[in-house]
């Protein structure tokens, strides 16, 4: 590493300063706050305590955690089921149309996701577009209740997070060598075997990356649950947001954030371990 | 010439285009059982496309492919008793050597015990028994090559297709793998269809060579045939270095020979192919190793000047410029006892050749690539 180049030094210093100021310091504040006590006037009182963590053990919060995780997992699964075939199909298309389709995937990023969530609300509302269309077509007699359901929250999360599933999957499909599929067929494998033993293992890194990129934000996107789920279908993100903005209990909100972060870190570690185990198992198979 | 019961694969009127560009022209080819046949040609001549058509990765626009008399033109690759060794090797990177080699047998749903024993057997044959547990990225290029071969031959195909399999290896390893491939082919008795653009490789390995250009078959024959009796200038130039003289027939002798005028000299030539008449324009072809360099005081041959000398180890190559300006390439084996051998640059010499080794072709208007 040569840091003589002044431009390079400046860039690296800028990044470090940014990370320090806007990532490391705020996180440090959250960690510190989680061990303090709530104060009505100044948000926190400088008094070491574990009471915020103790409150998290309350079954009410455990229930929210599990519900939230359930919704996030469903979201991830739906994203995977839509994103995997989509990414595969796009990667097989002629090079002319690929950029256009990927552009369409990225296009929604240009609009704030909160705005898009409100748009979703218009679609799902009792007198919204979907219901009007269904009534008009005579598919249903009375408008369906879609808004403020768990389904609405999941639909909103899928809508916002789908690109995060598609992009890493597209990347692995693009790298999937055509000659490996040809050789599999050459060796006598039909389509399903080729998929199961060649395509799936080789795209697994993209599947894992996509799942993590969807799952982790999915537990925290409080505004989606706010707008589409009403007050009933809470995400962990809602709990945390409420503590900071409504209940004004900073230490408890901080503790919930820390636990959520740790849970996600644990998840990442579990993925890492499982990926390594899969690799080792197939190596052992060979020696059997 | 082809004896029907010996023919394992027949291509009849096969053609293929990509984006309106003809890659393979209507082409016929018979491949005999157990032979080592090489498709030789410059890049873009359609040899790889032809291999992919046989393998089933491409469908021909027209024509029929018969394998042992059965029409396989429309069959997908996984239903053809034909296997391919890809130029890229195409080893599955997430599988061990063992799993790579076992893949084809598992696709056939062979019993576990049979898979075990046959994979062991094939890995031993390619001398990779010790490395069964390795992953492809832990192997050298030559070892990866062996895995690719083992993975294909374990299926006991009727035909093994090899698409420039040695092109990624360095010179020494390539020589070694050439011998190895020949050994494997002998041991297994499988028909090998080998694609290469390396004429030396083609000549040294093949039972028959198919010289291709622009989607056409130019000549099919034994290596010796195509080297010593090329049917046109392209084949002559592609399978080795060649010197070309333009000549004209001045007299046809009764004994199958004729007299030709070459650069102002009358020379008696063998008209092996016959069919030449007085006044015909000819090419007289001579391999560099057929030329002889003589001291200037000798009377025979053409007068010239040494303009380049290249030491090649076993041979010494000289470029000779004749008085007409025509340049020749001569390749001589070292002979320490010959006092005339070591000509210096710029030295005047006379060039002649071993009589009767000339190849005569009718004059072509288009020059070879």
């Amino acid at each position: 590493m040569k840091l003589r180049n002044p431009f390079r030094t400046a860039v690296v210093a800028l990044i470090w300063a940014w990370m320090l100021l806007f990532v490391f310091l705020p996180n440090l504040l959250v960690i510190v706050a989680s061990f303090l006590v709530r104060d009505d006037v100044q948000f926190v009182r400088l008094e070491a305590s574990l009471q915020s963590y103790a409150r998290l053990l309350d079954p009410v919060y455990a229930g929210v955690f599990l519900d939230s995780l359930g919704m996030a997992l469903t979201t991830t699964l739906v994203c995977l089921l839509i994103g995997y075939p989509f990414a595969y199909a796009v990667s097989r298309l002629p090079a002319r149309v690929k950029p256009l389709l990927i552009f369409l995937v990225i296009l929604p990023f240009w609009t704030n996701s909160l705005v898009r969530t409100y748009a979703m609300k218009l679609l799902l509302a009792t007198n919204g577009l979907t219901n009007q269309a269904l009534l008009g077509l005579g598919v249903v007699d009375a408008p369906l209740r879609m808004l403020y359901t768990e389904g609405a929250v999941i639909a909103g999360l899928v809508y916002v997070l789908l690109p995060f599933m598609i992009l890493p999957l597209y990347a692995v499909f693009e790298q999937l060598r055509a000659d490996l599929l040809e050789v599999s067929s050459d060796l006598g494998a039909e389509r399903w075997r080729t998929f199961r033993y060649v395509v799936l293992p080789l795209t697994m890194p993209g599947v894992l990356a996509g799942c993590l990129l969807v799952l982790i934000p999915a537990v925290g996107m409080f505004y989606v649950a706010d707008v589409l789920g009403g007050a009933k279908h809470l995400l962990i993100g809602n709990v945390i947001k409420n503590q900071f903005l409504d209940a004004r209990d900073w230490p408890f909100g901080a503790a919930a954030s820390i636990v959520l972060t740790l849970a996600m870190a644990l998840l990442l570690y579990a993925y890492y371990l499982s990926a390594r185990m899969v690799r080792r198992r197939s190596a052992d198979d060979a020696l059997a | 010439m082809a004896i029907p019961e010996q023919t394992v694969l027949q291509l009849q009127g096969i053609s293929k285009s990509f984006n309106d560009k003809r890659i393979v022209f209507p082409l016929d080819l018979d491949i005999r059982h157990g032979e080592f046949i090489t498709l030789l040609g410059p890049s873009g001549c359609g040899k790889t496309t032809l291999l992919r058509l046989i393998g089933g990765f491409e469908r021909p626009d027209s024509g029929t492919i018969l394998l042992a008399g059965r029409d396989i033109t429309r069959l997908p690759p996984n239903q053809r008793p034909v296997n391919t060794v890809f130029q890229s090797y195409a080893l599955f990177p997430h599988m061990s050597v063992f799993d790579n080699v076992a893949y084809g047998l598992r696709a056939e749903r062979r019993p576990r015990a049979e898979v075990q024993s046959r994979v062991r057997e094939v890995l031993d044959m390619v001398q990779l028994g010790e490395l069964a547990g390795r992953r492809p990225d832990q192997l050298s290029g030559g070892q990866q090559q062996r895995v690719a071969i083992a993975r294909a031959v374990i299926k006991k195909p009727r035909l093994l297709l090899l698409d420039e399999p040695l092109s990624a290896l360095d010179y020494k390893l390539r020589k070694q793998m050439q011998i190895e491939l020949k050994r494997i082919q002998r041991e297994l008795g499988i028909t090998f269809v080998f694609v290469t653009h390396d004429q030396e490789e083609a000549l040294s390995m093949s039972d028959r060579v198919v010289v291709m250009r622009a989607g056409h078959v130019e000549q099919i024959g034994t290596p010796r045939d195509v080297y010593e009796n090329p049917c046109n200038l392209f084949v002559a130039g592609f399978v080795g270095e060649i010197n070309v003289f333009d000549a004209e027939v001045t007299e046809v002798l009764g004994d199958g020979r004729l007299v030709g005028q070459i650069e102002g000299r009358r020379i008696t030539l063998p008209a092996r192919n016959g069919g030449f008449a007085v006044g015909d324009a000819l090419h007289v072809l001579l391999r560099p190793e057929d030329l002889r360099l003589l001291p200037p005081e000798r009377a025979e041959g053409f007068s010239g000047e040494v303009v380049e000398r290249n030491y090649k180890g076993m041979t010494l190559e000289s470029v000779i410029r004749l008085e007409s300006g025509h340049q020749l390439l001569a390749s001589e084996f070292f002979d320490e006892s010959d006092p005339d051998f070591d000509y210096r640059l710029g030295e005047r010499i006379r060039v002649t050749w071993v009589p009767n080794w000339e190849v005569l072709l009718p004059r072509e208007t288009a020059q070879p690539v």
Side-chain angles (χ1 to χ4, degrees):
Chain A
M1 278 265 277
K2 212 169 64 178
L3 283 175
R4 295 276 157 75
N5 184 339
F7 175 72
R8 199 172 150 165
T9 313
V11 168
V12 171
L14 191 70
I15 291 169
W16 272 103
W18 183 277
M19 296 291 284
L20 216 66
L21 212 63
F22 297 111
V23 179
F24 180 71
L25 224 55
N27 271 303
L28 200 67
L29 286 176
V30 171
I31 293 172
V32 171
S34 75
F35 291 105
L36 299 178
V37 178
R38 181 187 166 189
D39 185 279
D40 285 331
V41 185
Q42 295 191 300
F43 295 122
V44 289
R45 191 148 23 98
L46 287 176
E47 184 188 319
S49 158
L50 285 173
Q51 68 181 53
S52 300
Y53 287 96
R55 267 182 71 198
L56 276 174
L57 298 175
D58 188 320
V60 174
Y61 293 112
V64 172
F65 253 76
L66 285 180
D67 280 356
S68 178
L69 203 63
M71 277 195 275
L73 284 171
T74 312
T75 302
T76 309
L77 190 68
V78 173
C79 282
L80 185 62
L81 290 178
I82 301 172
Y84 197 86
F86 182 83
Y88 173 75
V90 172
S91 74
R92 297 286 116 183
L93 286 173
R96 284 179 294 112
V97 288
K98 271 189 212 173
L100 178 72
L101 282 162
I102 289 304
F103 173 72
L104 289 177
V105 170
I106 297 169
L107 193 63
F109 284 134
W110 292 5
T111 312
N112 187 292
S113 56
L114 183 58
V115 175
R116 281 184 285 137
T117 306
Y118 273 105
M120 194 83 179
K121 187 175 183 171
L122 294 180
L123 285 175
L124 297 179
T126 312
N127 58 354
L129 278 177
T130 314
N131 267 323
Q132 280 176 13
L134 289 176
L135 285 169
L137 290 169
V139 180
V140 291
D141 298 326
L144 295 175
R145 210 178 86 85
M146 288 182 288
L147 200 60
Y148 306 133
T149 60
E150 197 174 298
V153 177
I154 290 169
L157 288 172
V158 168
Y159 172 54
V160 173
L161 294 171
L162 187 58
F164 294 99
M165 181 63 86
I166 291 175
L167 293 176
L169 283 172
Y170 176 70
V172 289
F173 273 117
E174 273 295 281
Q175 282 168 18
L176 188 64
R177 286 163 47 190
D179 59 347
L180 296 183
L181 307 185
E182 285 187 344
V183 87
S184 174
S185 176
D186 187 67
L187 293 170
E190 73 285 11
R191 280 161 180 273
W192 168 248
R193 178 174 287 270
T194 300
F195 175 75
R196 169 69 187 78
Y197 292 101
V198 180
V199 178
L200 195 59
L202 289 175
T203 51
M204 211 27 117
V207 172
L208 293 185
C211 285
L212 288 176
L213 285 178
V214 170
L215 184 69
I216 291 173
V219 287
M221 288 200 139
F222 57 85
Y223 54 87
V224 175
D226 270 353
V227 174
L228 299 174
K232 279 179 297 178
H233 304 283
L234 291 181
L235 298 175
I236 302 168
N238 295 86
V239 174
I240 295 169
K241 185 210 105 184
N242 290 342
Q243 296 310 314
F244 278 99
L245 298 183
D246 306 331
R248 300 197 164 231
D249 189 343
W250 282 23
F252 183 58
S257 300
I258 301 289
V259 169
L260 178 60
T261 308
L262 286 178
M264 291 303 137
L266 216 66
L267 217 61
L268 282 172
Y269 186 64
Y271 269 127
Y272 165 74
L273 281 187
S274 68
R276 224 178 45 173
M277 222 144 68
V278 167
R279 237 178 295 146
R280 205 176 293 151
R281 190 178 313 137
S282 61
D284 291 344
D285 268 358
L287 299 169
Chain B
M1 201 167 94
I3 305 162
E5 55 264 297
Q6 275 193 335
T7 302
V8 60
L9 188 88
Q10 279 178 289
L11 303 180
Q12 297 172 338
I14 291 294
S15 73
K16 178 72 185 172
S17 305
F18 292 109
N19 302 325
D20 295 331
K21 191 174 181 293
R22 269 281 167 89
I23 302 299
V24 175
F25 280 82
L27 175 153
D28 297 306
L29 182 65
D30 285 359
I31 293 172
R32 298 174 197 155
H33 179 70
E35 77 174 333
F36 194 122
I37 190 165
T38 298
L39 308 180
L40 174 69
S43 49
C45 72
K47 55 194 193 297
T48 292
T49 303
L50 195 57
L51 206 68
R52 292 175 59 81
L53 286 164
I54 301 172
F57 305 113
E58 310 286 352
R59 291 277 168 84
D61 299 334
S62 68
T64 316
I65 303 174
L66 297 175
L67 184 81
R70 178 168 149 247
D71 187 346
I72 61 162
T73 318
R74 305 270 147 218
L75 285 187
N78 57 344
Q79 289 172 30
R80 297 187 183 202
V82 169
N83 288 106
T84 308
V85 176
F86 285 75
Q87 185 173 14
S88 60
Y89 309 153
L91 300 182
F92 300 120
H94 57 297
M95 291 183 199
S96 64
V97 168
F98 186 97
D99 288 340
N100 261 286
V101 176
Y103 193 88
L105 294 184
R106 287 177 178 158
E108 290 175 21
R109 302 179 192 288
R110 298 276 172 186
R112 203 176 157 80
E114 184 192 338
V115 172
Q116 290 281 336
S117 68
R118 276 174 69 182
V119 172
R120 289 281 159 210
E121 191 184 315
V122 168
L123 283 179
D124 284 342
M125 185 189 70
V126 296
Q127 292 148 33
L128 283 177
E130 305 296 308
L131 304 178
R134 294 265 189 101
R135 292 179 165 277
D137 59 6
Q138 297 169 317
L139 300 177
S140 71
Q143 289 166 339
Q144 292 183 17
Q145 170 71 81
R146 287 161 197 263
V147 177
I149 293 165
R151 186 176 62 176
V153 298
I154 199 169
K155 299 273 291 181
K156 299 183 176 160
R158 299 295 300 266
L159 221 62
L160 186 70
L161 312 175
L162 301 106
D163 186 8
E164 308 217 15
L166 309 180
S167 60
L169 304 178
D170 64 47
Y171 182 78
K172 211 174 158 195
L173 204 53
R174 199 159 69 227
K175 293 278 152 203
Q176 203 181 317
M177 281 308 297
Q178 286 176 5
I179 295 168
E180 182 103 7
L181 273 176
K182 286 295 283 181
R183 176 182 65 86
I184 291 169
Q185 198 239 350
R186 263 199 318 274
E187 276 178 24
L188 298 174
I190 296 175
T191 310
F192 275 35
V193 184
F194 190 90
V195 160
T196 185
H197 60 263
D198 180 338
Q199 45 88 13
E200 201 188 320
E201 196 166 277
L203 296 182
S204 66
M205 296 178 75
S206 318
D207 297 320
R208 285 198 304 159
V209 178
V210 180
V211 184
M212 291 182 66
R213 172 168 64 161
H216 293 282
V217 171
E218 296 279 325
Q219 188 171 1
I220 305 176
T222 62
R224 196 170 172 157
D225 256 353
V226 295
Y227 190 78
E228 293 184 0
N229 284 308
C231 69
N232 58 35
L233 279 186
F234 171 79
V235 173
F238 198 78
V239 299
E241 294 289 346
I242 194 82
N243 295 302
V244 183
F245 287 101
D246 289 340
E248 243 159 62
V249 181
T250 55
E251 194 183 336
V252 178
L253 302 175
D255 55 359
R257 294 184 302 164
L258 50 83
V259 178
Q261 180 102 0
I262 301 177
E263 308 221 339
R265 286 182 71 104
R266 287 164 57 85
I267 293 179
T268 309
L269 300 164
R272 268 193 296 270
N273 308 334
F276 294 112
V278 172
D280 280 356
L282 295 180
H283 290 301
V284 177
L285 310 185
L286 285 154
R287 295 284 175 200
E289 61 272 21
D290 299 341
L291 295 186
R292 296 289 178 265
L293 306 185
L294 303 172
E297 56 274 14
R298 300 280 285 268
E300 62 262 56
F302 298 93
S303 173
E305 184 191 337
V306 180
V307 293
E308 218 176 289
R309 303 222 81 178
N310 292 318
Y311 176 75
K312 292 269 173 153
M314 243 168 45
T315 57
L316 189 62
E317 279 186 5
S318 313
V319 179
I320 317 294
R321 186 164 55 228
L322 300 183
E323 273 157 3
S324 63
H326 191 68
Q327 294 210 346
L328 301 176
L329 181 72
S331 172
E332 300 164 284
F333 281 93
F334 276 114
D335 181 1
E336 306 283 345
S337 60
D338 185 354
D340 297 330
F341 183 72
D342 203 11
Y343 298 105
R344 286 182 309 279
L345 272 185
E347 198 169 321
R348 297 213 62 83
I349 49 147
R350 290 191 83 82
V351 185
T352 176
W353 57 78
V354 184
N356 280 325
W357 283 12
E358 308 92 341
V359 173
L360 270 52
L361 293 175
R363 186 88 58 91
E364 294 171 22
T365 39
Q367 285 302 300
V369 196

